Amino acid sequence: MAEYTCTFSDAAVREESRERLEALIQKMFARRHHNRVSAGPSGQMWLTVELVQALRRASEVYRELSTKTRGPMPFEIGYLRIRDGRLESISNSLRMDSPEVFVRIVSEFVEPGATISLAAVEESDEIPDGGTWSVIGIGDVEKVD
């Protein structure tokens, strides 16, 4: 899992999705240690399925990226906040597996025209480039660099 600095520009939160985003941020922050839970094989699977189902209820984009029982775990969303109607990061760096998955999920909650910039904290051939992304619409993003 790579670490990225994350900055948002013009990331106004869609009014109609604000409550869902706030709930998603709280859920992902509360479950940020999920991968380290050792509840045994069956308990761990149940916890993962329950979390995937909660994410699928919260996000139509996540439904496209997952099955009913498996999907990416965007815990980095738990390190965001809404301030003065805009989305921002509350952490110096965010750990994530896939910058594009993160950006696509966030695109559901911000107005078109928002820009999300992700820069790897440590440059490496093994770390995918985060880049700068522009939100076109829900689930529709474009890498601009």
Side-chain angles (χ1 to χ4, degrees):
M1 193 174 282
E3 288 189 41
Y4 298 88
T5 59
C6 177
T7 55
F8 294 93
S9 178
D10 299 322
V13 174
R14 296 172 188 263
E15 192 56 43
E16 67 274 10
S17 64
R18 182 184 183 108
E19 287 181 22
R20 282 187 304 122
L21 178 57
E22 287 172 337
L24 183 59
I25 289 169
Q26 289 176 1
K27 178 171 287 301
M28 296 316 289
F29 184 78
R31 299 293 289 274
R32 67 192 179 278
H33 299 297
H34 174 78
N35 290 338
R36 293 186 220 133
V37 172
S38 68
S42 62
Q44 180 65 36
M45 180 54 130
W46 182 85
L47 291 171
T48 299
V49 170
E50 180 268 334
L51 183 53
V52 166
Q53 289 298 310
L55 288 166
R56 288 175 61 86
R57 284 189 299 275
S59 169
E60 77 180 57
V61 171
Y62 189 80
R63 284 191 293 275
E64 295 170 10
L65 301 171
S66 64
T67 68
K68 290 184 178 185
T69 59
R70 300 184 68 113
M73 293 291 158
F75 294 109
E76 58 275 11
I77 290 172
Y79 294 93
L80 305 178
R81 72 175 169 195
I82 301 169
R83 186 166 158 181
D84 298 327
R86 299 198 172 283
L87 193 59
E88 62 182 30
S89 175
I90 60 169
S91 179
N92 290 337
S93 63
L94 301 176
R95 295 177 53 111
M96 62 183 77
D97 287 323
S98 173
E100 184 174 0
V101 167
F102 170 73
V103 171
R104 287 191 60 210
I105 292 171
V106 168
S107 74
E108 181 173 349
F109 302 100
V110 296
E111 296 288 345
T115 302
I116 304 165
S117 296
L118 299 166
V121 171
E122 291 183 25
E123 298 285 330
S124 165
D125 292 337
E126 298 157 12
I127 297 175
D129 177 39
T132 299
W133 301 78
S134 180
V135 175
I136 309 301
I138 294 174
D140 188 9
V141 296
E142 177 179 62
K143 197 166 186 184
V144 294
D145 69 354

